Amino acid sequence: MRSLISILDFSVAELDQLIATAKDIIANPDNYREKCRYKKLATLFFEPSTRTRLSFEAAMLELGGSVIGFSEASSSSASKGESMADTAKILSCYADIMAIRHPKEGAPYVASRNATIPVINAGDGGHQHPTQTLADLLTISREKGRLNDLTIGLCGDLKYGRTVHSLIEAMSRYEGIRFVLISPAELKLPSYVRFNVLEKHHIPYTEVTSLEDAMPELDVLYMTRIQQERFDDVEEYNRLKDSYVLDTEKMQLGKADMCVLHPLPRVNEISVAVDDDPRAAYFRQALNGKYMRMALILKLLEEAQNPAREAIDTEGLVYDRVCKNPKCICQVEQELPQIARITDPAENILRCIYCEQKV
């Protein structure tokens, strides 16, 4: 059974096809009104969401399907201690496809290994957010007319920003991509993304702390929120929360055809005065998310006609290492097997299969 847990689950050709489908939905919406008639989407949101949850629901409804689910963990049996594996098995009895957002990293992966319907990762902690990346790809394609030969600035919380991690993985597979990583030292890109994606595939990147200095060279600026919910230390959050604020003065430093993206919600990292700038694409980006989720639902339901479960890649697996990441799903569900994968044999680097952190 095909699922979407990481953006790397889809090839570049598949991503391009999803973009093409989304553009056809935009051009010919009436052709898609009944595509999911009698199909049900289950939305399992264990943490708050506005855009992601409602865009999934809008996507399914516009395809002629229906939606069941919950919008907070307290509304589910997880509050009684039900495991992610059991929840996935139960929802497989009631729906044709499910989308899961969970604060613990690796939870959608666990669900996908236990469900008998397609599972979509709608965000797992600070780890991955592949459907936001689909929205990002469509937005860049529509705003810039291409997905290659771009300098992309990623600004703000690069440590916990799951949208950043997924976007880097996706864009690194296109030609002529360069990244400018703009963050305070405390919120730098995690090593598993930097080493496993950028350095492993020789993607050019620079790490800087000044947004103003980076602005003139950017084709795309991807702003992110400093996420209070990801911090264990409130004082550290308060110290870092106002690290970057994009205002009209900084926008004057950017190219005339630069586009500004943001996964939203914003707090104060983009001034509302920037909204009137034609380069501000973040609300168009939110709309694009609906179209890409429509395309994704269609793809996964079509492929679900083949019920065979995807095999686990067993190469380099190690079963005697313990993940110590407190945000990993294996710290909550103690019966999950502790499994790591050797990602760099030369350096003997092993990473948890759920959260990708070093073990």
Side-chain angles (χ1 to χ4, degrees), residues 210-218 246-256 258 277 279:
S210 171
L211 173 58
E212 290 89 337
D213 290 347
M215 286 290 289
E217 61 180 314
L218 304 180
L246 181 65
D247 54 25
T248 54
E249 290 184 4
K250 293 187 182 71
M251 286 294 288
Q252 293 176 10
L253 302 173
K255 295 179 180 180
M258 177 190 70
D277 192 306
R279 295 172 292 178

Side-chain angles (χ1 to χ4, degrees), residues 234-267:
V234 175
E235 290 185 3
E236 184 181 24
Y237 165 74
N238 287 330
R239 181 170 57 84
L240 296 171
K241 65 179 182 179
D242 296 324
S243 297
Y244 301 99
V245 178
L246 181 65
D247 54 25
T248 54
E249 290 184 4
K250 293 187 182 71
M251 286 294 288
Q252 293 176 10
L253 302 173
K255 295 179 180 180
D257 63 346
M258 177 190 70
C259 65
V260 179
L261 277 64
H262 190 305
L264 302 177
R266 67 175 166 190
V267 181

Side-chain angles (χ1 to χ4, degrees), residues 4-10 15 128 130 133-134 166 169-170 173:
L4 176 63
I5 306 304
S6 162
I7 199 68
L8 295 179
D9 292 337
F10 287 170
L15 294 177
Q128 294 276 355
T133 301
L134 295 180
S166 294
E169 289 187 339
R173 294 187 288 172

Side-chain angles (χ1 to χ4, degrees), residues 99-118:
I100 300 175
R101 168 165 288 186
H102 201 286
K104 293 299 181 182
E105 298 169 7
Y109 173 77
V110 172
S112 72
R113 300 315 307 175
N114 290 274
T116 55
I117 61 176

